[in-house]
Amino acid sequence: MQVFKAVLEAHSYVFTATYERGHTLGNFAYPSHYLHNYALIYSLNGVANEYFIYKNQKLYNFVERKINNGEPIYALPAKPLRVYLKGFTYSTKAELLVEAKRKPQIVAPSSGYYLYFSPYSKFETYIIAEEKNDIPPFIRFGKKREGIFKIILEKIKYQKTQGVFTVNFPFNPFDVRDAVKILDKKLIFSIKGSKKISNPEMLEVVTGRVNGYCLRIVNSKRVIHIVVPKTYWNKL
């Protein structure tokens, strides 16, 4: 297996609703500047992102099976390099001078506001794959898989290390629970998930100080430690 640094460049509008809440003007949805790695893993492997929300379907175990068996393609959460946000307002209510009073037929927000990533927004992540050609040059991402990311890859050199490290590159604490013991962590963001999710850590993205197995990136301008699941660390 090999490790690649990947730059994701948006080539279309990308809609992701990390946070969604009611507002006096209707529904308000906006993305985190970081991309959760499960959504990336689904996209990189050609599986529709929508499966992530169906907790009781067998396809929900797709990521879990990948991690437990150390199967490629695996990705870390992506951090922002350059983000352009735009928004739009929508309304399902007709704007009439005189409107008859009646009960609404649809139980949904009558209006709202969405923020989204505009083209040329860039993110950075690390991907584990057998070969460079296994990673698609473009992926669909976000709501309805309408967003398009171009993937620019760079094969990196690394050293497998053990000990206590400060990890500044974001990782999913649930994925690496067998690889490291988290001594201190900084929560970057957490997706509000369903009550059906047994462990909320799987929806978190964090950085922090850890004790365990890490990869030290050796061809970067500065020292970078990244944390990957133990099943992948063993195969690298």
Side-chain angles (χ1 to χ4, degrees):
M1 286 193 186
Q2 303 177 54
V3 181
F4 301 90
K5 182 171 75 171
V7 174
L8 311 176
E9 184 178 67
H11 276 227
S12 70
Y13 297 109
V14 181
F15 296 85
T16 62
T18 311
Y19 308 102
E20 196 164 358
R21 62 188 183 188
H23 191 270
T24 54
L25 299 178
N27 198 44
F28 178 48
Y30 57 99
S32 165
H33 284 197
Y34 290 76
L35 306 179
H36 195 278
N37 66 318
Y38 286 6
L40 287 172
I41 292 171
Y42 278 117
S43 293
L44 288 166
N45 287 278
V47 178
N49 293 351
E50 285 80 3
Y51 290 135
F52 179 72
I53 66 173
Y54 296 123
K55 306 298 185 299
N56 294 324
Q57 291 192 10
K58 292 182 179 179
L59 282 170
Y60 175 68
N61 295 323
F62 177 80
V63 173
E64 185 179 356
R65 293 198 308 271
K66 286 276 185 183
I67 295 173
N68 289 342
N69 298 323
E71 299 174 0
I73 301 170
Y74 178 81
L76 290 173
K79 71 175 185 178
L81 296 178
R82 180 180 66 202
V83 170
Y84 300 117
L85 283 176
K86 290 189 176 181
F88 70 91
T89 302
Y90 69 90
S91 177
T92 60
K93 186 177 180 181
E95 299 294 337
L96 302 175
L97 183 61
V98 179
E99 184 177 358
K101 291 184 178 181
R102 60 181 181 178
K103 288 186 177 181
Q105 299 299 312
I106 301 176
V107 183
S110 59
S111 61
Y113 186 74
Y114 269 85
L115 285 176
Y116 56 88
F117 299 117
S118 62
Y120 302 108
S121 296
K122 284 187 176 182
F123 302 84
E124 181 184 83
T125 186
Y126 288 90
I127 297 174
I128 297 176
E130 291 285 359
E131 300 290 341
K132 184 176 181 179
N133 291 338
D134 293 337
I135 303 172
F138 292 88
I139 59 172
R140 292 278 187 176
F141 190 88
K143 283 183 174 292
K144 306 300 181 183
R145 293 171 56 83
E146 292 179 349
I148 299 174
F149 277 125
K150 179 181 179 180
I151 303 179
I152 304 167
L153 295 172
E154 175 189 350
K155 184 179 177 180
I156 64 168
K157 297 179 181 179
Y158 59 87
Q159 294 176 347
K160 297 171 69 174
T161 58
Q162 292 178 252
V164 178
F165 304 98
T166 298
V167 180
N168 291 321
F169 199 89
F171 62 93
N172 185 325
F174 185 77
D175 293 357
V176 300
R177 60 195 184 279
D178 294 332
V180 298
K181 179 181 179 181
I182 299 176
L183 306 176
D184 185 30
K185 71 178 182 180
K186 177 183 178 182
L187 181 65
I188 294 176
F189 81 87
S190 177
I191 301 174
K192 291 184 178 180
S194 166
K195 294 180 180 179
K196 296 178 182 177
I197 295 179
S198 58
N199 196 322
E201 276 194 337
M202 67 184 353
L203 300 179
E204 292 182 355
V205 172
V206 305
T207 58
R209 192 165 178 80
V210 303
N211 183 7
Y213 302 89
C214 291
L215 298 180
R216 182 178 185 268
I217 309 303
V218 297
N219 63 342
S220 58
K221 295 181 180 179
R222 59 189 180 89
V223 177
I224 299 175
H225 291 97
I226 62 174
V227 184
V228 300
K230 183 73 179 301
T231 49
Y232 294 98
W233 194 90
N234 289 335
K235 293 184 178 182
L236 290 170

